[in-house]
Amino acid sequence: DAGVIQSPRHEVTEMGQEVTLRCKPISGHNSLFWYRQTMMRGLELLIYFNNNVPIDDSGMPEDRFSAKMPNASFSTLKIQPSEPRDSAVYFCASQSMIAGFKTQYFGPGTRLLVL
Amino acid sequence: AQTVTQSQPEMSVQEAETVTLSCTYDTSESDYYLFWYKQPPSRQMILVIRQEAYKQQNATENRFSVNFQKAAKSFSLKISDSQLGDAAMYFCAYGGATNKLIFGTGTLLAVQP
């Protein structure tokens, strides 16, 4: 199993630019989570999906952030326009909904730097 | 609301020795999971061990074991025979009915050669 795949691994962009982060969950997992990690705020859950449907987006900081999951094997997190305070490590995690296997597995993360 | 508390911001252990990282949580749920994740300098979040609340037996994964005290809402991680590669940030996490993970603030573990 390849695990959760995220791309790009590193992204450097200028303020005002659009940023798109991508995630491929583990095959067979039907829940997907987007997190953001910063020194100041630690790990924050931004949004999560069950069976491709957004369930809780209360952690999305503002309208500049949007997330989609068009199918079971792909999700995107978009920031438009980006700001320096968006600089962080963004993680995607996936989880099986099968009872007894509710464990989140994380991707390697995307390090985003907004100049 | 559920909370997770890690009261040790930093810990240090000598190579080959044993160290215990503390975690307490608060919940009114009866069915939940508890996890320890390791985050080395690469920033990858690696699952170390997990415990189902309904199981009385403490989970063990090689050199890693937990001491799960449900009544006390305590979930400590013991690392035996510490190795240099164990140096990392360790996060305790709670997973309940909502499927959302609640993380503690982390404990930074240093391993001294």
Side-chain angles (χ1 to χ4, degrees):
Chain A
D1 198 327
V4 177
I5 299 172
Q6 291 187 248
S7 65
R9 296 290 306 275
H10 302 271
E11 178 81 17
V12 180
T13 191
E14 292 186 347
M15 183 175 63
Q17 296 298 306
E18 178 179 293
V19 175
T20 299
L21 311 181
R22 298 173 176 80
C23 175
K24 177 179 170 57
I26 293 172
S27 178
H29 283 191
N30 46 10
S31 291
L32 183 140
F33 305 78
W34 282 102
Y35 292 88
R36 178 173 68 176
Q37 186 179 35
T38 61
M39 289 294 292
M40 291 296 292
R41 301 174 67 91
L43 270 163
E44 303 175 274
L45 176 65
L46 300 177
I47 185 171
Y48 82 93
F49 298 82
N50 282 351
N51 296 317
N52 313 336
V53 176
I55 301 301
D56 185 344
D57 65 354
S58 59
M60 296 286 263
E62 48 199 272
D63 292 345
R64 298 185 298 105
F65 285 70
S66 63
K68 294 181 180 180
M69 192 165 186
N71 57 61
S73 58
F74 184 66
S75 177
T76 59
L77 178 68
K78 186 174 294 187
I79 308 172
Q80 167 63 25
S82 58
E83 297 182 2
R85 60 189 167 129
D86 301 331
S87 298
V89 180
Y90 290 81
F91 290 101
C92 175
S94 72
Q95 172 181 292
S96 171
M97 288 293 287
I98 298 174
F101 291 88
K102 293 173 70 173
T103 300
Q104 291 186 25
Y105 294 91
F106 284 74
T110 295
R111 296 195 188 197
L112 173 64
L113 177 62
V114 183
L115 301 174
Chain B
Q2 294 82 24
T3 59
V4 176
T5 302
Q6 293 180 250
S7 59
Q8 306 155 317
E10 297 182 11
M11 291 283 285
S12 182
V13 64
Q14 292 286 337
E15 198 174 4
E17 296 295 308
T18 295
V19 64
T20 298
L21 308 184
S22 301
C23 174
T24 59
Y25 59 95
D26 191 25
T27 185
S28 59
E29 296 179 320
S30 58
D31 185 20
Y32 53 88
Y33 295 76
L34 296 163
F35 306 88
W36 280 98
Y37 285 90
K38 170 186 177 182
Q39 188 175 41
S42 67
R43 307 299 292 271
Q44 172 84 50
M45 290 286 286
I46 302 166
L47 177 68
V48 175
I49 199 166
R50 74 170 204 166
Q51 174 82 41
E52 292 92 333
Y54 65 86
K55 289 188 177 180
Q56 294 185 341
Q57 186 173 4
N58 289 327
T60 299
E61 288 287 342
N62 300 314
R63 297 182 296 106
F64 298 87
S65 62
V66 298
N67 183 4
F68 174 47
Q69 301 290 326
K70 190 172 184 179
K73 296 180 181 174
S74 171
F75 183 61
S76 60
L77 175 69
K78 185 172 82 171
I79 306 174
S80 304
D81 186 25
S82 297
Q83 301 175 0
L84 295 177
D86 295 333
M89 182 74 86
Y90 287 82
F91 290 97
C92 178
Y94 170 100
T98 66
N99 289 322
K100 295 164 67 170
L101 281 182
I102 311 299
F103 285 91
T105 51
T107 297
L108 182 62
L109 177 66
V111 181
Q112 307 299 332

